[in-house]
Amino acid sequence: MKKSRTALLTGASRGIGAAIAEELRALSINVMTPGRDELDLSSPASVDRYLESFSRDGVDILINNAGLNIPKVIGEVSIENFSQIMQVNLASSFRLIQFFAPQMAQRGYGRILNISSILGTVAKEGRSVYSMSKSALDALTRAVAVEYGSGGVLANSLAPGYVDTELTHKNNTPEQIAELLESIPLRRMAAPVELAKIAGFLVSVENSYLTGQTILVDGGFTCI
């Protein structure tokens, strides 16, 4: 009988996260999707309290999907904005990895997936801190792959391009979206389920050798 795996997925209430949760459940993976009342990633104290509830069994799969983007040009970014984005996008992911990765390695199996962004690779006006956080997250992914690979832990970053989600429409005007579509070779945004399918493979037992990579799924946007 195959072992039933357990995943912890942050930011599962909508968009890419909700699609990933559905995909994992279709793969018979038990999915834990804590809400903000359980796990507030903007609060280091909340993250630590949440982790205190875990036994040594931990989880087999960790997916750091939750993210925060506050679009502002560099001259308008406050220290509060900077700290908020870095805490949610990077520091909380580091803390969860720091807690779960050693347990995974001790058991000889683990999958860690960080949901990054193409903006960790390319720049866009008003996204400086967000880009910094995602680029650092990709660097963290590589470090995890190196440090815990001998323990059977595979770590990757999935870097979506423009995805048809509520957040994309919130952060871009209709005119900006129309312009974006013209810059994507496939001439459309990704559907969340398309990202979820790739995420499902990366955290499954079917992925046995791919680790330490930042996988850009952007419809060819970064090829131009």
Side-chain angles (χ1 to χ4, degrees), residues 68-219:
L68 177 64
N69 187 6
I70 305 174
K72 290 186 179 182
V73 295
I74 292 171
E76 296 177 358
V77 176
S78 68
I79 293 301
E80 290 75 18
N81 295 152
F82 183 93
S83 298
Q84 287 173 323
I85 294 170
M86 285 297 184
Q87 169 58 36
V88 173
N89 295 1
L90 182 62
S92 65
S93 296
F94 179 85
R95 183 69 187 101
L96 293 175
I97 290 170
Q98 186 181 50
F99 183 85
F100 289 115
Q103 298 177 357
M104 293 175 179
Q106 188 172 31
R107 296 193 302 272
Y109 180 91
R111 299 289 184 270
I112 294 173
L113 181 62
N114 293 318
I115 305 302
S116 181
S117 169
I118 59 166
L119 294 181
T121 301
V122 298
K124 182 180 180 181
E125 183 178 354
R127 308 298 195 275
S128 60
V129 184
Y130 182 79
S131 291
M132 291 165 63
S133 70
K134 294 301 186 178
S135 184
L137 190 63
D138 294 338
L140 174 59
T141 294
R142 294 189 290 272
V144 174
V146 170
E147 293 189 12
Y148 293 101
S150 62
V153 180
L154 277 61
N156 290 288
S157 284
L158 176 58
Y162 292 96
V163 185
D164 194 4
T165 64
E166 179 183 334
L167 187 61
T168 300
H169 289 278
K170 176 182 177 182
N171 290 335
N172 296 276
T173 66
E175 292 76 18
Q176 288 174 323
I177 289 177
E179 185 177 344
L180 284 173
L181 296 180
E182 286 300 314
S183 65
I184 300 171
L186 293 186
R187 296 295 188 269
R188 66 176 179 86
M189 292 188 284
V193 67
E194 293 178 291
L195 279 301
K197 292 291 184 184
I198 298 170
F201 166 74
L202 290 172
V203 302
S204 73
V205 294
E206 300 301 319
N207 176 24
S208 58
Y209 204 66
L210 179 60
T211 192
Q213 304 304 306
T214 298
I215 301 166
L216 278 66
V217 184
D218 63 358

